Amino acid sequence: MNEKPAKQRIVILNYGSQYTQLIARRVREQHVYSEILPFTVTAEALRRDLPKGIILSGGPDSVFDEGAPGVDPGIFRLGVPVLGICYGMQLMCHTLGGTVRHSDRREYGKTEISVTEGGALFAGLPERSVVWMSHGDAVAEIPQGFAAAAESENCPYAAISDEGRRLYALQFHPEVVHTEFGNKIIANFLFEICGCKADWNMDTWIADTVRGLRETIGDDEVVLGLSGGVDSSVVAVLLDKAIGPRLHCIFVDNGLLRHNEVETVEGMFRSKLGLDLHVARAAQRFYSALRGVEDPEGKRKAIGREFVSVFAEEARRFKDCKFLAQGTIYPDVIESSSSPDGPSQTIKSHHNVGGLPPDLKFTLVEPLRDLFKDEVRSVGRILGLDSEFLDRQPFPGPGLGVRILGEVTEDKVRLLRQADVRVQEEMRKLPDYKSIWQSFAVLLPCRSVGVMGDQRTYEYTCAIRSVNSIDAMTADWTRIPYDTLATISSRIINEVRGINRVVYDISSKPPATIEWE
């Protein structure tokens, strides 16, 4: 759907690293367009639209594993710079005649490197710096034409380069924040080695995308599943800019939404923006579908199935619509499937509209599927969407259904919604509230004994979850001031009848996910 700029791009071949998307982000942060492709892409395919440079990502495999991901050797003969990172380095050396061995001592975490020959990749960097290592294998002998560029105590080839062929490789990860001068190394590769220009930005992206939407949709109409979250809201204003009144928005009230969500969405999109908005009030249908379902994935699937059913009924009203728009963004794509871009593992299901009945033959439009959340917000700001929506914290598609552990009932939803309102009200008072990625309440399926007014209580436990993140791929728990936690706890216990205990979740992602289910 999105046309990539023809003038320049950096291609990242995905070998399954948890940091692959982070590499793409780091390149984009330098205002250079980046694109992730499967490692199976051929040199010939790349030659047809030659990139300015190629990056081989890290990955969980060993080059010695049976069926380990490989690379077309012709990629190293395209004449464009190539940077291998971690597994990408080992694969480069293995392919070009070097030797890779299992390390006697695995390196993981912060390590100091010393720049030896250095070269273009390390231009302007100090002789010593801290980097983030993560490897079990290491290069023992480098291919002909390469030279050591940096070393660590346990790794004589922490970085290598063949300046003549413009081939570079790093045993460490420059894309993570733990690498002291990682952004500078990436910038050197982009600008000094690849000759890129810093001319890609969200204004460019919007112009390209709106033009692409108009060309794709033509004079036809589009139906959009509007959730009221940042992503679908930005899709709505983007499509409104592209095709105007030929956009029809469907908002499904599944009974699992935030407090006053329906009224808020109607006020913004129908009253203020003048969009064609249709609200399907279907709470009882969802409660019935969730009756007796306790498994997290089972709940997601039940909510997804019912959502599709309700959405399909509404969509049939628009007989001239040929396109279905969704607010899918890049982390959704990564977490929802074993991506065709490389080896990955399904973490949990997302319920964007899929599996529609045969009579609804829509062509899918997902204009945000290559953007990260902060980039989506940037697009929204440029398009003039109110900060009330742009600065909203992410909300899961299945809603409160995945914040109630165990069976979901209407009474539990009411309880959790009341608790969550108190969390939101107190968190918004913090001076750094906008820097917090997500904060919310979770209703646990266990009850405990308490005492209120000299009387015994036996009520539910509520967990508070708050995390800081950039793109939801990784997250760390928020260090909320004790006074704020105390106020939240006191308000929930005293004001929400049915909860007598509050706990705080201090798990990071990974190993935990942001949502509990």
Side-chain angles (χ1 to χ4, degrees), residues 149-162:
E151 63 183 12
S152 71
E153 182 179 354
N154 300 308
C155 186
Y157 300 118
I160 60 173
S161 63
D162 182 335

Side-chain angles (χ1 to χ4, degrees), residues 180-412:
E180 200 171 3
F181 296 99
N183 282 341
K184 174 62 175 170
I185 293 172
I186 292 172
N188 282 343
F189 180 71
L190 298 177
F191 304 118
E192 303 302 324
I193 296 172
C194 297
C196 293
K197 295 180 181 178
D199 60 1
W200 186 80
N201 52 51
M202 288 298 100
D203 290 290
T204 303
W205 184 90
I206 290 171
D208 290 338
T209 301
V210 168
R211 182 173 61 250
L213 286 167
R214 286 172 179 162
E215 291 173 357
T216 299
I217 297 166
D219 295 327
D220 291 313
E221 299 184 0
V222 178
V223 63
L224 165 67
L226 180 66
S227 71
V230 174
D231 307 326
S232 65
S233 297
V234 171
V235 171
V237 294
L238 192 63
L239 281 165
D240 184 53
K241 182 178 178 67
I243 63 170
R246 288 182 286 121
L247 168 67
H248 308 289
C249 301
I250 297 174
F251 180 76
V252 177
D253 177 9
N254 60 10
L256 306 169
L257 303 173
R258 288 177 271 209
H259 180 64
N260 285 337
E261 184 77 352
V262 177
E263 295 79 6
T264 301
V265 169
E266 286 182 312
M268 170 58 70
F269 293 96
R270 180 183 291 154
S271 304
K272 186 168 184 178
L273 296 179
L275 272 62
D276 182 33
L277 176 66
H278 302 261
V279 178
R281 303 179 189 277
Q284 293 305 320
R285 289 179 56 170
F286 282 86
Y287 295 146
S288 296
L290 289 167
R291 189 173 295 123
V293 182
E294 296 186 1
D295 175 68
E297 195 65 7
K299 288 195 291 186
R300 284 178 173 271
K301 288 184 167 129
I303 293 168
R305 283 193 300 269
E306 198 60 36
F307 181 89
V308 168
S309 177
V310 173
F311 185 89
E313 290 176 14
E314 293 294 318
R316 286 192 179 95
R317 299 184 183 185
F318 308 103
K319 302 187 183 302
D320 296 326
C321 279
K322 294 184 179 178
F323 293 89
L324 168 66
Q326 292 186 162
T328 307
I329 65 172
Y330 204 54
D332 296 337
V333 176
I334 298 305
E335 286 199 340
S336 293
S337 66
S338 294
S339 170
D341 291 339
S344 62
Q345 183 180 7
T346 298
I347 307 299
K348 57 191 176 185
S349 298
H350 288 266
H351 85 294
N352 284 343
V353 181
L356 288 169
D359 65 308
L360 291 173
K361 296 179 180 178
F362 291 119
T363 298
L364 196 58
V365 175
E366 297 178 305
L368 307 180
R369 68 176 286 117
D370 294 324
L371 297 188
F372 293 94
K373 182 73 77 173
D374 60 319
E375 294 173 323
V376 173
R377 286 195 171 104
S378 295
V379 170
R381 287 191 180 92
I382 294 169
L383 292 174
L385 190 61
D386 279 8
S387 59
E388 174 188 2
F389 278 83
L390 285 180
D391 294 332
R392 301 182 99 189
Q393 294 182 350
F395 189 67
L400 301 180
V402 292
R403 292 179 180 174
I404 296 172
L405 275 62
E407 183 183 13
V408 176
T409 66
E410 187 172 3
D411 285 341
K412 288 181 181 177

